[in-house]
Structure formats: structure tokens, C-alpha cells
Amino acid sequence: EIDIENPDYCDFSKLRSLLLHERTLDLIERTHRELYHNFRATTLTNINYAQVLKGDKVESKRLKHMEAEMERVLQDKVEKRRQRLLQYKDSEEKSLEVEFKQLEAEKIDLAQRKNNFQQWKVSQMNMDHCDPDGDGSEDRDQSRNLMGLMTLRRIRKK
């Protein structure tokens, strides 16, 4: 059974989060760019024609002031959303950087372990060549015990 929500071996949740945030931003921008401007243009066109026909300049000024206020509020909301997305992006980059450093440290540790194991293996091979009894049974028992201990350590870490 594969758990796609487990961050230990699957990046699905991070990918899903990234795509949702990106699509949300696209939707906000499209709404502002197309839908809101079309609605505003249609509404203001109808209102402005009615106001011109009536000759009511005070109402026209009030509507222009309302339009400017709506534009300012919308710009504030868009800017706040951008700031939140930038903060999210920065936090994700920091967490990825921390993970990368941890992976680098693990890589160095594994390389050191590999070198230690290879040195041990070479020393064991040298001991086999120098075995005074000729049978090597004692060394084999020790190497089996050591391999068993290494297996236990691996299992306990998981």
C-alpha cells in the first residue's frame, strides 16, 4: 500500500499545494483583468449615460469617487495576496534549503560509513589470509555477528 500523503518518500502533497496556490493566483488575476473590468465598464457605462442625461454632476463625481475607492480596495487586496504568496514561497524555499542541507549531511555520513566498511572489509580479508589455523571459522563467526548487529541498527533506525 502506497501512502501518497507521506512526505518521507512522496512529494505529492507539496506538488498539490504548489499547484493550488499557483492556480489561485491565476484565477485572481483573471478575475481582476477580465471579469471585474468587464462588469465595471458595463455598469459605469450605463450609470454614466443615465447621469449625463439627467445632468446630475454631483452624482457623477460621487460615482467617480466610488470607482476610485473600489480600484484602491481591489489593489490593496491583490497586493496583500501577493505578499502572502511571496511569504509562502520564501518559507517553502527555506524548508527546501534545510532539507537539502540535511541530505548533504546524510550523504557525507553515508560516504564515511562506506569508507569505514571498506576498510573493515579489507582488514577482514587480510586476516583471512593470515589465519594460523587455516579454517577461518572464528573470523567468519565474528563477521556474521557484526553483520547481524549492522542489520539490527538499520531496523531500529526505521
Side-chain angles (χ1 to χ4, degrees):
E1 179 178 337
I2 297 175
D3 181 16
I4 61 172
E5 296 292 330
N6 189 342
D8 291 341
Y9 60 88
C10 186
D11 294 335
F12 176 73
S13 59
K14 291 178 183 177
L15 178 64
R16 178 184 60 203
S17 174
L18 176 68
L19 289 174
L20 285 176
H21 286 290
E22 185 177 279
R23 291 298 174 198
T24 303
L25 183 60
D26 290 343
L27 180 61
I28 290 169
E29 289 176 359
R30 181 179 176 271
T31 301
H32 176 70
R33 184 178 58 244
E34 295 174 12
L35 303 175
Y36 174 72
H37 283 295
N38 289 343
F39 169 76
R40 191 180 64 145
T42 304
T43 304
L44 290 177
T45 302
N46 293 339
I47 291 174
N48 285 339
Y49 281 128
Q51 297 303 323
V52 170
L53 292 175
K54 290 181 181 177
D56 190 1
K57 292 184 180 183
V58 173
E59 188 65 20
S60 179
K61 286 182 183 179
R62 186 181 72 80
L63 289 174
K64 286 182 182 179
H65 176 70
M66 284 177 56
E67 178 185 0
E69 181 66 18
M70 287 184 345
E71 185 68 28
R72 185 190 62 77
V73 168
L74 182 65
Q75 289 301 326
D76 287 346
K77 287 182 179 181
V78 168
E79 187 58 33
K80 285 178 185 177
R81 182 63 59 119
R82 280 194 183 128
Q83 290 299 322
R84 282 193 301 219
L85 287 172
L86 286 175
Q87 288 172 349
Y88 174 76
K89 176 185 157 198
D90 291 342
S91 69
E92 287 297 314
E93 285 177 350
K94 287 178 184 176
S95 67
L96 287 175
E97 186 176 318
V98 167
E99 285 183 42
F100 180 74
K101 287 180 182 178
Q102 288 173 345
L103 288 174
E104 286 295 320
E106 286 180 22
K107 181 180 174 183
I108 292 169
D109 183 49
L110 286 175
Q112 183 63 37
R113 284 182 172 185
K114 179 182 175 185
N115 284 337
N116 291 343
F117 177 73
Q118 288 177 344
Q119 290 172 359
W120 175 83
K121 190 168 114 178
V122 167
S123 70
Q124 289 299 317
M125 290 176 72
N126 289 339
M127 289 176 125
D128 286 344
H129 292 300
C130 298
D131 188 10
D133 297 336
D135 66 350
S137 62
E138 186 177 319
D139 289 337
R140 271 180 268 165
D141 289 339
Q142 287 178 354
S143 67
R144 285 185 191 139
N145 288 340
L146 185 60
M147 293 303 287
L149 285 174
M150 290 172 61
T151 303
L152 283 174
R153 283 187 183 165
R154 249 187 285 133
I155 291 172
R156 287 182 185 162
K157 284 185 179 182
K158 291 180 183 178

